[in-house]
Amino acid sequence: MTEPLRELRVSNDAMNDPLELRGRLADEGYLFIKQLQPPDQMLALRREMLTVMQKGGWLIAGTDPVDGIANIAAQCTEGDVAYTDVYHEVYKIEAFHRSAHWPEVTDMIAKIVGRPIMPHPQKIARLWFPKYTEHTTPIHQDFVHFQGNFETLTCWSPLGDCPIELGGLAVLPGSHKVKRVLDHHFSLGAGSLFVDVPEQAKLNAALAVDWHTTNYEVGDSLIFPALTIHKALPNLTEDKLRVSLDNRYQAIGDPIADHMLLPHLISTHPMTWDEVYRDWQSDDLKYYWRQHANPVVPKDTSYADKGFAEAVELARQGDPRAYLAMQRAVKRDPNSPAGRLAQQVLEERLGAPDSEQRNVV
Ligand SMILES: O=C(O)CCC(=O)C(=O)O
Ligand SMILES: [Fe+2]
């Protein structure tokens, strides 16, 4: 089913008017600024990151890395061991971390927030293979993943042009007005949790199911708070990797969840900041957040735990996507409680007379 997609409202006209920016954010739950980030710096970073991905085997050898021509045989995604192997090499790039501190972004966020702000230490890149659409980032609110406080802002920006078929971000305008964390369920895709929007629309008369996106150009940035409902569109290209940045910003002094002080995707692939910093040329961004007094709150794992429990139940019923999630959990860490439970579920299914799922991967 293809659903209609409407154009994001461009807010460049309000860039120097903090009150208007805040008004639009309060009303629509997002701000879209074209070419907020310098395209030449974005493209230089794109080249640097894709060069590392090419070394990791993700791009066709001999092609220009900046073209992002994916090696389909290397397909993998967040949650896969193979993904983190290459992702963590990309994660060590100093310019990648620095990009979240470019004044074009931090000045804009500070203007919107109206208080001194800080980028979260945990920076994130999304590296999305083509023809792998079941792993598209599902419909969600960022709070379930990043937590801390509802005012935390995400800034999503493709590293290169991102036409609709490459799978950029789409938002539901006004959806932050639900003012709470909605029920999230098991899903494949980044974060592994999704909101059933039609179900929620029955409960919240104000929730309009009206997706907005655009053909993003390099430098374009989408800014939204932690309760705005959003999703990625599938990467429908033949052979292009989608590369994007999503970074988070908060007012200094507001609470931050402890895991946001750590590198991304370390639960099964440990990596310290010292390892990230090993080849950096300058010191100014190393542990920069320690100078700010933000109350640190523990991560609430109940959202992820509930999603995993649902996956276990669905896998027991033979759901192929949940079965895949079990196989991944075993590969990630067979000795963890989740890995052991997943292994047990897989064995139960193998023993089930009606099992059709044993060859899913
Ligand atoms: O880029 C993606 O696929 C997911 C990004 C996202 O959900 C975010 O930036 O919060
Ligand atoms: Fe998100």
Side-chain angles (χ1 to χ4, degrees), residues 126 137-138 140-142 145-146 154 169 224 230 246 248:
R126 310 280 179 184
T137 303
H140 67 280
Q141 293 168 304
D142 271 0
H145 302 301
F146 308 113
T154 291
L169 227 61
F224 54 92
H230 60 285
D246 54 271
R248 286 164 188 84

Side-chain angles (χ1 to χ4, degrees), residues 21-39:
L21 288 170
R22 283 174 216 156
R24 289 186 194 181
L25 192 66
D27 200 33
E28 295 177 292
Y30 76 92
L31 288 167
F32 176 54
I33 313 280
K34 287 205 62 75
Q35 309 243 307
L36 174 65
Q37 308 190 48

